[in-house]
Amino acid sequence: MRNGLSKDLIARVLGGAPKYTLDELESKFPPRQLPEGTLVTRFAPSPTGYMHLGNLYSALIDYKLANQSNGVFLLRIEDTDTKREIKEAVDIVINSLAKFGIKNDNDLSDYGPYYQSQRKDIYHSVVAYLLERGLAYPCFLSQEEMDSIREKQSAAGMATGIYGEFARDRDISEEDIIKHLDNGETPTIRLYSMGNPENRIYFKDFVRGSISVPENNEDIVLIKSTDRLPTYHFAHLVDDHFMRITHVVRGEEYFGTVALHIQMFRMMGWQLPNYIHTATLDKIDEETGKQRKMSKRKDPENNVAFFLEQGWPTGAVIEYLGNILAPGYEEAKLKGQVKSFWDYELRPKKIPASGSLFDMKKLEWWSKEYIATLPVDVLVKNVVDWANEYGDDNNKKQISDVDYLTSVLSIERDNPKRIRKDFITWQQTLAEVAYFWDFLFVPNKEYEYNKDVLKEFADTFNGADDKDTWWNKIVEIANKFGVKPGDVAMNLRVAMTGRTNTPDLYSLMHVLGGKRVLDRINMVL
Ligand code: GLU
């Protein structure tokens, strides 16, 4: 340990006296009075303007763990990188979460503010405590000095960073601090690390099990000199403690610094949160066929906006992510034990530790199944909402007559055992049924129609015929022209829709209505 700084010097070093003592913070943000087994989690994105699928995956774990234990789920905005446009980026996060049904409890919880940029007083109060005890120190190394240290270290094949003998200001005297300050310099505040990488720290990660990692000896930056805001490491320590977070869910990229985080929690005498370091989401590369990490640059589906823009049912995306997280979920669902992922208990220990595969083909399956469970009015509402927000002009015309759209989407939805499963996204649903609208209908000019049959059908057609009468007429026409009833039906199908594969022909002709039916036959003739 080094000598602590005087209160006056701390105020000079931090650009102002700290607002709180540690005891004051403890009573301002007291331990939560929650029953045993209740989890408090947080989703802590840095607002970059881009919400990736891994973010959604993390947020889902946080939300689910809190929710199923009647706990608390917080959204914390890690906006200490002030160079970025914050407001719009935060809106993207909040809107995306809302669309996927993930609600935070920030308003119900008195542990804010939840924007790190508004918590400077809290960070400074904690760092003042460390400075006073010689557990942190002001460091006046310039960028050039640090660069040259790094170069020397690399040349000598040593670990790079500010540690041990390289931490020039580790034991800086009060006089020297004052000299630098008088000179107009603003220091970074560094941790006075007493770790030794030859020793190991043991801890339990929920996903990785019991683990040991070498101790940290780096004097990492706690408070930056540029804006006096905290680094991730320090902010995470302070926030997860004073928000009384019980479980920290974060990507495996943070696993490398967990030794540092444990060191700091111990140094403060604070209880360590439970860590859940999740595996990043992989995909199968289209070209190589090999499993690889998702990439922001190459994979459109790495962006949550992709699913919203294409109208993937957010409920289906959640179901599929849920199944990746809890591999037993699909079976429980197929057996009818649970209705949705929200009813299924997620066990933190079962969350996969590596190679979680996100496969668009599998998502299609979840999506088809999901849409098949929706009552028609819900299906229609989703399609309409999607078209209003993301659809093109044609989509908007398709939804302008909601009654017609409803009859179109009602086809093959009345028998719960035989619901059509060809709808995948809201966008694709509208494309799939496009032929119901004359301005989108593309007549099939290649098909070799039996025009006699079609003419006979038109001559005897009565839009009021029930299904049996309609079919009997088809059989009669078939007999008269020496073809099979199926051939008559196929001629009609192609004339009506341009396609050889459609849902129930009678229903679709019924929905098209007498005028369209005759127009389309006449178009062929
Ligand atoms: N802001 C960090 C990120 O977006 C948060 C990591 C954490 O959850 O602790 O990666």
Side-chain angles (χ1 to χ4, degrees):
M1 225 188 295
R2 52 161 288 133
N3 289 337
L5 305 190
S6 71
K7 285 205 160 48
D8 286 349
L9 197 50
I10 290 175
R12 276 198 75 189
V13 155
L14 292 178
K19 191 162 170 192
Y20 308 105
T21 65
L22 224 52
D23 284 342
E24 282 165 350
L25 287 174
E26 284 293 325
S27 52
K28 195 169 153 65
F29 305 112
R32 297 169 188 266
Q33 301 302 319
L34 293 171
E36 169 101 31
T38 308
L39 273 57
V40 183
T41 60
R42 85 303 190 275
F43 171 52
S46 310
T48 59
Y50 179 96
M51 169 117 171
H52 51 85
L53 197 58
N55 285 148
L56 180 63
Y57 181 69
S58 265
L60 176 60
I61 305 174
D62 288 315
Y63 175 64
K64 179 73 174 114
L65 290 178
N67 208 258
Q68 71 185 12
S69 69
N70 286 319
V72 181
F73 164 66
L74 299 177
L75 172 64
R76 181 167 82 219
I77 304 297
E78 308 217 320
D79 59 346
T80 53
D81 191 354
T82 44
K83 281 173 264 41
R84 291 169 177 152
E85 249 333 300
I86 305 301
K87 165 91 177 72
E88 207 178 311
V90 171
D91 286 348
I92 291 178
V93 171
I94 293 178
N95 294 340
S96 309
L97 291 179
K99 291 222 158 104
F100 286 89
I102 297 179
K103 291 182 286 291
N104 65 64
D105 302 316
N106 289 18
D107 291 344
L108 307 171
S109 180
D110 276 335
Y111 289 79
Y114 298 105
Y115 282 70
Q116 289 186 332
S117 58
Q118 297 167 16
R119 299 172 63 80
K120 205 168 181 171
D121 285 340
I122 303 174
Y123 305 122
H124 281 207
S125 300
V126 177
V127 91
Y129 170 92
L130 295 174
L131 286 166
E132 209 180 321
R133 282 162 186 73
L135 297 166
Y137 65 92
C139 169
F140 295 91
L141 282 171
S142 66
Q143 192 56 51
E144 295 71 46
E145 286 166 328
M146 286 191 291
D147 290 345
S148 105
I149 291 173
R150 182 170 289 273
E151 272 164 35
K152 269 188 222 140
Q153 290 168 328
S154 300
M158 302 172 83
T160 56
I162 302 303
Y163 60 88
E165 65 201 271
F166 299 104
R168 184 195 71 192
D169 292 351
R170 223 170 121 78
D171 293 300
I172 190 170
S173 66
E174 294 226 345
E175 294 76 67
D176 284 344
I177 295 174
I178 292 168
K179 256 188 235 157
H180 282 289
L181 292 174
D182 286 347
N183 205 13
E185 292 170 52
T186 306
T188 54
I189 310 298
R190 287 185 183 272
L191 173 73
Y192 190 86
S193 179
M194 287 176 291
N196 175 356
E198 272 156 33
N199 302 332
R200 297 187 80 82
I201 290 188
Y202 294 82
F203 81 105
K204 203 173 121 242
D205 184 284
F206 268 73
V207 163
R208 279 140 227 274
S210 294
I211 297 272
S212 80
V213 285
E215 281 180 9
N216 164 64
N217 66 342
E218 258 194 85
D219 288 356
I220 59 112
V221 175
L222 304 175
I223 300 285
K224 297 175 279 174
S225 60
T226 42
D227 48 15
R228 294 198 155 112
L229 282 168
T231 54
Y232 167 77
H233 307 295
F234 188 57
H236 143 70
L237 167 87
V238 173
D239 292 344
D240 287 338
H241 176 69
F242 284 118
M243 292 181 185
R244 308 293 172 178
I245 302 298
T246 63
H247 289 65
V248 170
V249 180
R250 57 185 187 185
E252 63 191 359
E253 64 273 23
Y254 291 95
F255 190 69
T257 42
V258 74
L260 162 67
H261 302 145
I262 297 173
Q263 173 186 24
M264 291 194 294
F265 272 95
R266 290 193 182 154
M267 191 175 77
M268 293 303 301
W270 291 344
Q271 188 177 350
L272 191 69
N274 295 290
Y275 284 109
I276 298 176
H277 288 102
T278 58
T280 46
L281 289 177
D282 288 355
K283 68 174 280 175
I284 301 290
D285 188 277
E286 283 96 0
E287 275 161 32
T288 64
K290 293 211 178 86
Q291 187 165 340
R292 64 159 170 84
K293 280 192 190 359
M294 285 231 195
S295 132
K296 182 168 173 178
R297 199 170 41 83
K298 284 196 243 162
D299 306 316
E301 74 271 31
N302 193 40
N303 188 349
V304 167
F306 165 91
F307 297 93
L308 300 173
E309 282 158 16
Q310 292 206 341
W312 288 85
T314 53
V317 176
I318 292 288
E319 289 285 280
Y320 179 39
L321 285 175
N323 192 56
I324 294 176
L325 277 177
Y329 169 56
E330 183 178 341
E331 200 185 322
K333 179 164 166 145
L334 291 176
K335 283 189 186 151
Q337 291 160 350
V338 285
K339 265 187 131 157
S340 86
F341 178 63
W342 301 126
D343 310 327
Y344 185 75
E345 193 191 339
L346 171 63
R347 306 232 174 118
K349 290 190 177 69
K350 299 247 166 99
I351 295 172
S354 66
S356 302
L357 183 62
F358 189 92
D359 178 353
M360 288 302 288
K361 279 276 157 242
K362 290 228 175 83
L363 175 62
E364 275 187 20
W365 180 84
W366 282 92
S367 204
K368 286 178 182 169
E369 294 290 320
Y370 179 87
I371 294 182
T373 64
L374 300 179
V376 72
D377 55 326
V378 179
L379 170 61
V380 170
K381 183 175 184 320
N382 276 294
V383 169
V384 168
D385 289 349
W386 174 82
N388 276 324
E389 190 164 357
Y390 301 102
D392 60 17
D393 289 346
N394 287 345
N395 296 143
K396 291 197 168 105
K397 281 188 213 151
Q398 282 179 285
I399 61 160
S400 61
D401 180 348
V402 175
D403 290 339
Y404 185 57
L405 177 67
T406 305
S407 6
V408 168
L409 295 183
S410 298
I411 294 172
E412 285 191 10
R413 278 193 112 69
D414 38 7
N415 180 350
K417 291 208 185 78
R418 279 199 293 118
I419 297 202
R420 62 189 297 187
K421 288 195 180 159
D422 54 346
F423 295 150
I424 306 169
T425 68
W426 315 133
Q427 182 175 49
Q428 172 269 352
T429 296
L430 283 174
E432 186 65 26
V433 296
Y435 56 79
F436 281 93
W437 287 266
D438 290 336
F439 74 98
L440 291 173
F441 171 58
V442 186
N444 188 330
K445 300 210 172 94
E446 257 96 85
Y447 190 75
E448 289 181 22
Y449 295 97
N450 184 331
K451 293 191 177 167
D452 296 335
V453 158
L454 285 176
K455 183 163 187 325
E456 182 77 7
F457 183 87
D459 290 345
T460 58
F461 176 69
N462 179 349
D465 284 348
D466 66 16
K467 193 166 186 175
D468 288 339
T469 316
W470 169 84
W471 182 249
N472 287 339
K473 278 186 184 168
I474 289 182
V475 174
E476 269 170 38
I477 297 171
N479 290 341
K480 181 164 170 192
F481 291 91
V483 295
K484 293 192 189 113
D487 297 332
V488 179
M490 185 54 82
N491 271 276
L492 283 170
R493 187 181 307 276
V494 179
M496 293 303 118
T497 68
R499 303 163 33 163
T500 52
N501 201 336
T502 69
D504 182 62
L505 183 59
Y506 174 78
S507 312
L508 80 84
M509 289 174 80
H510 193 76
V511 169
L512 280 170
K515 179 167 178 330
R516 278 196 201 86
V517 167
L518 292 176
D519 283 353
R520 290 185 186 188
I521 292 177
N522 285 330
M523 228 186 272
V524 172
L525 298 178

